[in-house]
Amino acid sequence: MIDPKVLRDQPDLVRAAQAKRGLSDSVVDEALAADTRRRAAIAAYEAKRSEQKSLGKQIPQAQGEEKQALLARTKDLSAEVKAAEAEQGEAEDAWDAALRAIPNLADEAAPAGGEDDYVVLEHVGTPRDFAAEGFEPRDHVELGRMLGAIDIERGAKVSGSRFYFLTGVGARLERALTNLAMDQAHAAGFTEAIAPSLVRPRAMEGTGFLGQAADDVYRIEGEDLYLVGTSEVPMAAYHSDEILDVASLPLRYAAFSPCFRKEAGSHGKDTKGIIRVHWFDKVEMFVYTTPDQAAAEHQRLLDWEKEFLDKLELSYRVIDTAAGDLGLSATRKFDCEAWIPTQGRYRELTSTSNCTEFQARRLDIRGRFESGPAPLATLNGTLCAMPRTIVAILETHQNADGSVTVPQALRPYLGGLEVLKPIAS
RNA sequence: GGAGGCGUCGCCUAGUCCGGUCUAUGGCGCCCGCCUGCUAAGCGGGUUUGGGUCAACAGCCCAUCGCGGGUUCAAAUCCCGCCGCCUCCGCCA
């Protein structure tokens, strides 16, 4: 959630931020009204409670009529306290709900507008010119079939649409990518993590995924558990309800986990191949740091993402996502989009978000500063989402005969394999 | 899945049976000060977190003994539900 003090003292700042995302600012007035009601309710309750406590202390000493009078008064007070407490609880809940409905304030530098209003920050590499090379590129579905790497038909047979099996060099490729990603993170000082992909509501809510993204979340029937769409969720909740030593920051984690997404509302989009699937594995970077370091850390996460894509010899562009396309928690988001030859366009491979103190407030993650405990900043960034990365590698590095040249950096992870060759069919 | 035990302000711990003087005990650690050539020891003080009020990071007040309800004038203490951890049994990758 946003800083309640900012809401109270600078509501116009929040209104402007809402406008930048293309959202109504009515939530601001609702939250302000809820805050006023809440504070009045707290004052009323505390006055009653204070009286009850002081009278209660006199009862054990009192005798006879005096005691009876006290008991009569405190009995009435008891009911009043109960009523005041109930009102306080309701006011507090309403205030909390109003505050949680407000998304993080978009960064000043983030472009205003919606999905199409992103700003391209840079292009890295040049998309391969297959026409000049004299052959028509095959898409990853066909390449995957020829290489015995991706089995979409059987994925559908076993689990339904948007599921797949990785087999043979496909499975080896995921393992190699995972290790390449983890090794890079490890070398950069990250702590490697394998995270649970089932979490309780608190973790899901705290990371902001039960808001407008709730339709995309799988829930386990009959249990209070959700399947995560990213290990950002368990990694953010990892230090929930903790006060961390500021000297230990930044805490950087590289977490592997399967990710599950309903992809509600995307019917008809990316129905072919493994660009958009209900399940995939991912190595995600997750950082806890101080608010004043968050922006610089965001750049570092972007740099690590670029370093990884560079190792895979992909051509890509980096975009600065517009405010309206930010998630609930993010103040700014950079996406790296790789060129997909058979689609003739750039597709998101990695994404890094600066969530400032938004998630930390919801999950009660604080640092012990000299001035006292205060919320930390959290950031996340994709290091490697397996299926899309495999798509980009296969399509980008394919040869006319359907073989695929393995990027140099990946070869040691595939036992020195230089070329993935079609299997005899 | 079955049986039992446990959960107190960083860590350990007293208190819970028999509700009120608990404004939660003591130790360790940590911080400040005194003392001392220096260090250690010793001595004194401080040390949960959140919130309300306020010009105030001063003072005062409220909440907080795993979480949520309930009983009561009054709950760390009594009752109910839940969560977590531990031990044993069963099952099992």
Side-chain angles (χ1 to χ4, degrees):
Chain A
M1 64 183 84
I2 64 167
D3 187 347
K5 285 188 193 71
V6 169
L7 176 74
R8 194 184 300 162
D9 300 338
Q10 300 162 272
D12 287 338
L13 206 70
V14 183
R15 288 194 182 92
Q18 287 292 101
K20 193 167 184 180
R21 281 181 182 253
L23 300 172
S24 158
D25 66 359
S26 62
V27 286
V28 176
D29 293 313
E30 284 165 26
L32 283 171
D35 188 33
T36 305
R37 177 188 164 198
R38 164 182 162 269
R39 287 194 280 168
I42 287 172
Y45 161 73
E46 288 186 355
K48 291 285 180 203
R49 177 65 178 151
S50 190
E51 188 184 355
Q52 183 187 40
K53 281 178 72 172
S54 67
L55 288 185
K57 271 178 201 156
Q58 299 170 27
I59 288 177
Q61 285 95 23
Q63 300 288 333
E65 274 182 39
E66 190 194 354
K67 183 158 190 170
Q68 291 314 308
L70 271 174
L71 282 176
R73 171 62 187 138
T74 48
K75 194 150 195 168
D76 290 343
L77 246 186
S78 179
E80 289 171 32
V81 166
K82 220 156 240 170
E85 189 178 16
E87 162 58 14
Q88 188 205 330
E90 277 174 38
E92 205 112 38
D93 288 348
W95 174 72
D96 192 63
L99 208 59
R100 279 174 191 265
I102 301 174
N104 201 353
L105 308 183
D107 193 290
E108 272 182 35
E115 197 177 350
D116 300 323
D117 297 312
Y118 59 83
V119 169
V120 178
L121 296 176
E122 65 173 319
H123 285 87
V124 178
T126 312
R128 210 172 137 186
D129 187 351
F130 287 93
E133 294 184 43
F135 74 98
E136 190 68 25
R138 296 177 169 91
D139 72 15
H140 72 276
V141 176
E142 190 177 354
L143 289 167
R145 192 180 298 125
M146 292 172 74
L147 297 168
I150 305 170
D151 193 333
I152 291 168
E153 290 76 12
R154 290 194 176 94
K157 177 175 74 179
V158 173
S159 303
S161 67
R162 297 202 192 283
F163 284 92
Y164 59 96
F165 282 76
L166 294 179
T167 56
V169 291
R172 294 190 71 196
L173 211 44
E174 164 157 337
R175 196 151 57 84
L177 285 166
T178 302
N179 287 334
L180 179 66
M182 280 296 195
D183 281 356
Q184 175 183 312
H186 181 84
F190 281 73
T191 299
E192 293 178 50
I194 311 285
S197 41
L198 283 163
V199 299
R200 307 167 104 186
R202 172 96 193 285
M204 213 44 138
E205 208 281 328
T207 40
F209 286 100
L210 291 186
Q212 71 253 41
D215 287 348
D216 255 327
V217 175
Y218 285 104
R219 199 181 72 242
I220 302 294
E221 194 176 339
E223 307 252 345
D224 246 0
L225 287 171
Y226 294 92
L227 280 163
V228 302
T230 163
S231 40
E232 169 191 347
V233 175
M235 292 321 292
Y238 187 62
H239 286 299
S240 55
D241 299 321
E242 293 182 26
I243 301 178
L244 302 172
D245 178 6
V246 168
S248 72
L249 303 175
L251 287 177
R252 298 192 177 104
Y253 297 97
F256 175 92
S257 85
C259 305
F260 303 90
R261 299 178 182 187
K262 279 188 168 177
E263 297 297 344
S266 65
H267 302 296
K269 271 163 99 181
D270 301 310
T271 50
K272 212 178 162 198
I274 57 170
I275 286 275
R276 190 179 297 275
V277 288
H278 288 312
W279 148 77
F280 61 97
D281 291 328
K282 180 157 66 81
V283 175
E284 177 87 355
M285 298 180 284
F286 194 88
V287 181
Y288 297 84
T289 190
T290 56
D292 64 309
Q293 279 296 308
E297 185 68 15
H298 197 200
Q299 284 298 326
R300 283 190 282 271
L301 287 174
L302 177 59
D303 288 343
W304 280 311
E305 291 183 359
K306 288 164 62 184
E307 179 185 339
F308 189 75
L309 296 178
D310 290 342
K311 285 176 183 166
L312 300 180
E313 299 166 39
L314 299 173
S315 57
Y316 59 94
R317 67 177 188 183
V318 181
I319 66 166
D320 193 346
T321 304
D325 201 26
L326 294 170
L328 187 77
S329 301
T331 189
R332 201 175 188 194
K333 181 170 80 158
F334 302 123
D335 288 353
C336 292
E337 301 182 324
W339 178 258
I340 304 299
T342 64
Q343 295 198 358
R345 61 184 181 124
Y346 290 96
R347 299 301 306 267
E348 178 185 327
L349 243 61
T350 68
S351 175
T352 178
S353 295
N354 180 2
C355 298
T356 58
E357 301 106 295
F358 189 85
Q359 294 177 330
R361 278 204 191 85
R362 295 176 157 225
L363 290 168
D364 232 334
I365 303 157
R366 288 165 293 172
R368 194 175 295 284
F369 295 86
E370 280 191 24
S371 51
L376 293 176
T378 60
L379 300 97
N380 63 80
T382 319
L383 196 50
C384 184
M386 303 304 157
R388 286 193 182 186
T389 306
I390 289 171
V391 168
I393 289 172
L394 295 187
E395 295 207 11
T396 300
H397 299 306
Q398 64 179 293
N399 303 307
D401 63 356
S403 66
V404 173
T405 304
V406 178
Q408 291 282 352
L410 212 46
R411 290 179 189 177
Y413 293 91
L414 288 166
L417 196 62
E418 294 178 11
V419 180
L420 311 180
K421 295 196 174 105
I423 55 172
S425 49

